[in-house]
Amino acid sequence: MIILNQIKKIYNQGKANEFEALHGASLEIADGEMVAVIGKSGAGKSTLLHILACIDSYEGGEYRIDDKLVKGLSEKKLAQIRNEKIGMVMQDFALVEDFSAIENVLLPLDFAKQKKANRRELAMAALKSVGMDSMAKKTVSQLSGGQKQRVAIARAIVNEPSVVLADEPTGALDSKTAQEIMDVFKELHSRGKTIVIVTHDMGIAEQCERIIEIADGCVTD
Ligand SMILES: Nc1ncnc2c1ncn2[C@@H]1O[C@H](COP(=O)(O)OP(=O)(O)OP(=O)(O)O)[C@@H](O)[C@H]1O
Ligand SMILES: [Mg+2]
């Protein structure tokens, strides 16, 4: 369960370029829900997603994930929450281009505190679940946009997180490939994962169970 209560995000607090990007955003997302986050450019969608992913802090309000208050935690504790609970798919894939697909998917397993012996099998299983097992050894720079997005999803899910967050995962893809990627998210959802997808595309948003709208740093719907 994800609960955001009156979240305030202030970039560059106390400086001349101080900017309040979220002015008290509140929302709840239940376990296993599939939701879309929509809103105009600059509304605060990525900011909200980064807070949910525990990769950014916030200045007011409270964020709880599974009853755990994410506030004032050390970087180590935040990393632990990220590793255990959250998979993040970045808009620009954020893959290592000159690594192979499987090497990219192995990265989160290599970072994990407890190194699992069967890391390669886990990475292959994640690649298989997104239909990329046959291309495991291909260098990322040789993959298409849709294939890269699949590898990015495999990397996000290899640690079996309960929540998968994706920032415009279909933004750079043609409509057929975008639909294939949506089908991958739907499959993850059918396996019980909580899915949060930021999108500009109403066709994508409408395939989710619920749409959350952000306007000017507030949740409006
Ligand atoms: N690191 C930062 N420092 C200062 N201001 C920032 C920073 N990141 C974002 N902002 C500002 O916060 C506001 C919200 O940005 P955010 O990236 O969350 O928007 P968005 O809804 O994701 O937009 P887009 O659809 O264009 O990706 C914008 O006005 C942006 O300029
Ligand atoms: Mg954004």
Side-chain angles (χ1 to χ4, degrees):
M1 179 85 177
I2 284 171
I3 301 176
L4 292 184
N5 187 19
Q6 294 291 319
I7 294 288
K8 232 182 212 197
K9 173 68 197 176
I10 306 169
Y11 287 111
N12 309 312
Q13 194 170 26
K15 300 195 183 132
N17 57 347
E18 177 173 302
F19 183 81
E20 188 170 306
L22 295 175
H23 327 286
S26 301
L27 61 85
E28 288 190 15
I29 300 172
D31 289 345
E33 256 198 297
M34 180 163 181
V35 304
V37 175
I38 63 164
K40 293 205 175 100
S41 184
K45 305 180 296 296
S46 295
T47 301
L48 185 90
L49 210 64
H50 293 164
I51 291 170
L52 290 179
C54 303
I55 51 183
D56 217 344
S57 60
Y58 53 94
E59 281 61 46
E62 288 184 341
Y63 166 31
R64 283 173 205 275
I65 180 163
D66 299 340
D67 279 334
K68 185 162 182 55
L69 180 61
V70 182
K71 196 171 194 173
L73 299 179
S74 65
E75 186 43 48
K76 205 173 150 199
K77 280 253 153 52
L78 291 171
Q80 195 182 346
I81 295 175
R82 281 198 299 266
N83 234 306
E84 278 173 17
K85 297 184 187 292
I86 297 160
M88 175 84 178
V89 183
M90 302 283 192
Q91 181 171 9
D92 59 357
F93 316 123
L95 296 169
V96 184
E97 287 275 326
D98 53 3
F99 276 22
S100 66
I102 190 163
E103 283 167 339
N104 271 279
V105 178
L106 280 165
L107 283 175
L109 296 170
D110 290 339
F111 282 129
K113 207 165 63 194
Q114 288 223 306
K115 299 253 189 297
K116 296 182 180 137
N118 57 341
R119 276 177 291 169
R120 285 196 89 78
E121 283 156 45
L122 292 172
M124 276 309 286
L127 283 167
K128 191 165 194 294
S129 71
V130 298
M132 283 295 289
D133 45 326
S134 63
M135 282 183 243
K137 293 202 173 133
K138 257 201 152 178
T139 307
V140 164
S141 57
Q142 295 168 6
L143 298 176
S144 71
Q147 290 166 343
K148 285 181 189 178
Q149 193 59 280
R150 286 170 192 271
V151 174
I153 296 170
R155 187 182 54 183
I157 61 172
V158 71
N159 271 327
E160 285 292 331
S162 47
V163 180
V164 179
L165 308 169
D167 200 351
E168 310 246 11
T170 62
L173 307 176
D174 64 79
S175 60
K176 179 169 171 283
T177 313
Q179 189 53 51
E180 286 168 10
I181 293 299
M182 268 314 274
D183 292 341
V184 172
F185 283 112
K186 284 183 190 170
E187 210 273 320
L188 292 171
H189 171 235
S190 75
R191 288 201 271 137
K193 303 222 181 282
T194 309
I195 311 278
V196 182
I197 297 177
V198 167
T199 184
H200 275 115
D201 183 339
M202 273 316 281
I204 294 289
E206 279 164 0
Q207 295 181 50
C208 296
E209 293 173 310
R210 182 155 68 97
I211 297 176
I212 294 171
E213 185 165 4
I214 303 190
D216 293 326
C218 291
V219 176
T220 56
D221 203 7

